Amino acid sequence: MAAALQELLSEHSSKGPPPIVCPGHTRPLAEVSFSPETPDGYFLVSACLDGQPMLRDATTGDWIGTFAGHKGAVWSAKLCSEARLCATGSGDFSAKVWDAVTGNCLATLDHRHVVKCVDFSSDRRLLATVGKEGAARVFDVEAGLGASGPERLFGARDDADGRKVTVNKCAWTEAGLLVCGAADGKVSVLDPRVDGDDPIAIIDVGKDAVMDLELTNGALGPTLTVCSGEQVHLVDAVRWTSTKKVIDCPVHFREEGGASLRADGKEIVVGGGRHGGGGPGAPGGGGGGGGRAGPAPPP
């Protein structure tokens, strides 16, 4: 790790200020997430397999605090739109909601299996959780977490062997829809505002698991970026019926990894496992890799 860090710093030494390095975690990171802009600035929260999610000032990288309380790896951590609440999902079969100002745990939401992803709706009224129990849970934050259980529980799918299909990622759209990416290569679009738990749309991106998804609204219009197998799929996030573009990548997403679409739609940055190698790794070592897979022009 030290050698990889030195390589990264050396690479940037002739290109201006080096990247901010934020030490503190003792195991690999599972997820990092920025807050929107707030009156107090930007914040960064990190989920880590060491079970100690950390909050930082996103401008300086300075440590603000650690949300201590999980008894297993933390797979996901997100801040609400005001950065006043933080939600975390863990391998200890729970999600927790924290006061991001005081660090106090406000609620522990028990699940039947590992929680892989959490996300607040843009108005912070709803919190979604997904994971290895195969279901999507939607909690009403304003009504009081844990008071009456989840507001909605969207049913799980079984695979050919009768096992629940893991849901790896979830994200809210600006319109209040919940998008979930699963291990069977399917992306489900759910509308918690209507009765029933049937998806309003299902996008099939292939046989490989969906390992990451991101919603953006830039030059290409509302777009869902989906990482699966060795490809990134850019999906129309209005009609949900068409794929704008499928990009073959220099890395694979079979274990972990992700992608982010630039606002102008011209490039996409990806990170994952190297072809012919192992799983994810640090820069300069292991089996991981990354790069730009683009350009990604309009369809």
Side-chain angles (χ1 to χ4, degrees):
M1 179 62 74
L5 180 59
Q6 185 60 46
E7 178 183 338
L8 180 64
L9 294 174
S10 298
E11 179 182 344
H12 286 80
S13 61
S14 60
K15 302 178 182 179
I20 296 172
V21 178
C22 304
H25 285 298
T26 59
R27 294 195 63 198
L29 293 177
E31 185 177 85
V32 292
S33 177
F34 283 100
S35 74
E37 185 178 11
T38 76
D40 298 312
Y42 293 96
F43 298 92
L44 175 69
V45 64
S46 53
C48 184
L49 303 191
D50 63 9
Q52 303 292 316
M54 294 185 182
L55 180 67
R56 298 179 184 274
D57 183 310
T59 302
T60 64
D62 290 343
W63 175 85
I64 296 174
T66 299
F67 301 109
H70 279 296
K71 298 179 181 178
V74 174
W75 290 99
S76 181
K78 298 283 175 52
L79 293 162
C80 74
S81 56
E82 299 172 347
R84 298 185 64 84
L85 296 177
C86 178
T88 53
S90 173
D92 64 7
F93 292 21
S94 78
K96 291 181 182 289
V97 178
W98 311 81
D99 184 320
V101 178
T102 66
N104 293 332
C105 181
L106 302 177
T108 297
L109 309 172
D110 293 325
H111 290 62
R112 297 187 182 94
H113 215 309
V114 173
V115 180
K116 293 298 296 289
C117 190
V118 298
D119 196 34
F120 286 103
S121 58
S122 59
D123 60 4
R124 88 166 191 176
R125 187 177 68 85
L126 300 176
L127 170 67
T129 66
V130 297
K132 288 195 173 183
E133 68 180 2
R137 295 174 179 255
V138 177
F139 298 86
D140 191 328
V141 178
E142 298 297 326
L145 287 163
S148 57
E151 179 189 68
R152 294 288 297 277
L153 177 64
F154 292 90
R157 294 195 305 274
D158 293 338
D159 63 17
D161 298 322
R163 295 173 296 191
K164 298 300 180 187
V165 176
T166 297
V167 184
N168 289 318
K169 291 292 180 179
C170 65
W172 291 97
T173 72
E174 294 179 0
L177 302 176
L178 180 63
V179 184
C180 300
D184 61 358
K186 292 181 174 58
V187 177
S188 301
V189 184
L190 308 170
D191 190 347
R193 300 166 298 185
V194 301
D195 293 333
D197 61 359
D198 291 332
I200 64 172
I202 296 178
I203 301 101
D204 192 341
V205 297
K207 61 181 178 61
D208 292 305
V210 174
M211 298 306 298
D212 189 44
L213 49 81
E214 177 190 62
L215 285 157
T216 54
N217 189 3
L220 299 187
T223 301
L224 176 69
T225 302
V226 182
C227 299
S228 176
E230 300 176 0
Q231 296 178 323
V232 170
H233 299 250
L234 303 182
V235 178
D236 186 326
V238 175
R239 299 180 180 85
W240 303 110
T241 56
S242 61
T243 299
K244 297 181 179 183
K245 189 174 182 67
V246 178
I247 303 169
D248 293 322
C249 295
V251 298
H252 68 77
F253 309 105
R254 294 191 183 91
E255 297 180 28
E256 292 293 343
S260 187
L261 178 66
R262 205 166 76 181
D264 62 9
K266 293 182 178 180
E267 285 190 328
I268 187 166
V269 61
V270 299
R274 289 176 181 161
H275 292 301
R292 293 184 177 92

